[in-house]
Amino acid sequence: MSGGLQYERLQDQLLRLRLVQSVERLPSLLEAAAKRELSYSDFLEELLSAELTGKQDRNTAMRIRMAHFPFEKTLESFDFKFQPSLDPKIVRELATSRYIANAENVLLLGPPGVGKTHLAVALGMSACAAGYRTLFTSAAAMVALLTRAQSENRLEEKLQVLSRSKLLIIDEIGYLPLGPSGANLLFQLIAKRYERGSIILTSNQSLTGWGDVFGDPIIATAILDRLLHHSTMLNVKGESYRLKEKRKAGMFGRPASAPLLSATDD
Ligand code: ADP
Ligand code: MG
């Protein structure tokens, strides 16, 4: 009877301490403790490590929500055999997130459909799991955000807020020309993060095409100078994974009939 009451008190105390994992684990752990004759310290260790793991998982899930990924994909679902231009060792090293501790950057370049966004998201998910605050945006959305902040006289404030993310993923540089003011704003963002926070950038344009993307070779050079100084560059080649899947479904002819695929390659 008093055991039952004590159990209720324990549950109540765990709840009030917000040790939600322990509330769940308590019954089975008490049973195991009785059966396996766990020592006090073994019992406490099992309870606390379950609590810590649960807490880490919740924090990771929260960071993933705050990152605003367009989809949630990981390296496990990335088929490296389909993508021989990529060295899996380099990608796996990046997935340790060490580059973020060093405020280094990652450039993912290649034609449409080869998995640049998939890889950027997967690295972002790893960063979230490693405890880094992460934010994903497209280049166009980032420029729109900064343009608006500037027109409201809050550009500095916005850049400050963005610098709280230890990893900033800017997807799809090069699909839309940025215009001089957009290029200038991106330059300010990148200059501000230089050696302070990491950027992962994806582009369908090779670096020689960036002068056109930014509408100004001088700005493009200044941006590249900072981005590349401490960086890993991944050139993803090959054909579109999307089209491969369609071709498999019989919607396209043979690979040779798709010259479009290499249109943006270098
Ligand atoms: P990109 O950003 O280079 O245009 P995405 O990353 O959007 O290409 O890839 C297009 C689709 O194909 C996505 O659904 C992605 O998950 C998938 N994909 C691309 N490459 C691979 C790969 N090597 N293994 C598994 N899925 C892939
Ligand atoms: Mg993409």
Side-chain angles (χ1 to χ4, degrees), residues 134-211:
T134 299
L135 183 67
F136 183 108
T137 65
S138 68
M142 179 55 84
V143 167
L145 186 79
L146 295 177
T147 303
R148 174 139 172 232
Q150 190 178 40
S151 73
E152 293 168 352
N153 256 325
R154 291 188 301 103
L155 183 59
E156 262 315 302
E157 194 185 313
K158 191 53 134 195
L159 291 173
Q160 201 62 43
V161 170
L162 288 170
S163 70
R164 281 191 216 136
S165 296
K166 293 306 283 175
L167 173 62
L168 198 57
I169 303 176
I170 307 177
D171 198 26
E172 300 192 338
I173 290 263
Y175 280 105
L176 299 169
L178 292 166
S181 86
N184 189 291
L185 288 167
L186 271 192
F187 170 71
Q188 291 194 52
L189 173 70
I190 287 165
K192 180 129 193 156
R193 288 185 78 77
Y194 177 60
E195 293 187 335
R196 279 192 245 173
S198 293
I199 297 179
I200 296 181
L201 211 142
T202 82
S203 180
N204 62 324
Q205 302 281 340
S206 63
L207 297 185
T208 47
W210 280 32

Side-chain angles (χ1 to χ4, degrees), residues 69-96:
F69 295 120
F71 48 71
E72 288 178 19
K73 287 195 179 170
T74 61
L75 281 190
E76 277 81 70
S77 67
F78 191 82
D79 182 0
F80 281 95
K81 281 202 285 303
F82 182 76
Q83 200 44 262
S85 64
L86 275 181
D87 182 348
K89 275 207 299 293
I90 294 178
V91 180
R92 298 223 166 85
E93 162 60 29
L94 290 172
T96 66

Side-chain angles (χ1 to χ4, degrees), residues 235-262:
N235 271 301
V236 200
K237 303 207 166 81
E239 65 168 321
S240 164
Y241 195 86
R242 290 188 196 104
L243 295 189
K244 178 205 87 153
E245 300 218 298
K246 292 206 171 118
R247 191 174 296 121
K248 241 183 11 203
M251 294 168 71
F252 277 86
R254 297 170 333 100
S257 69
L260 242 182
L261 297 181
S262 54

Side-chain angles (χ1 to χ4, degrees), residues 2 16 32 36 64 68 76 84 88 90 149 183 201 214-215 233 266:
S2 82
R16 283 159 64 182
R36 285 158 41 205
I64 288 174
H68 292 109
E76 277 81 70
I90 294 178
L201 211 142
F214 289 96
M233 187 153 69
D266 50 359

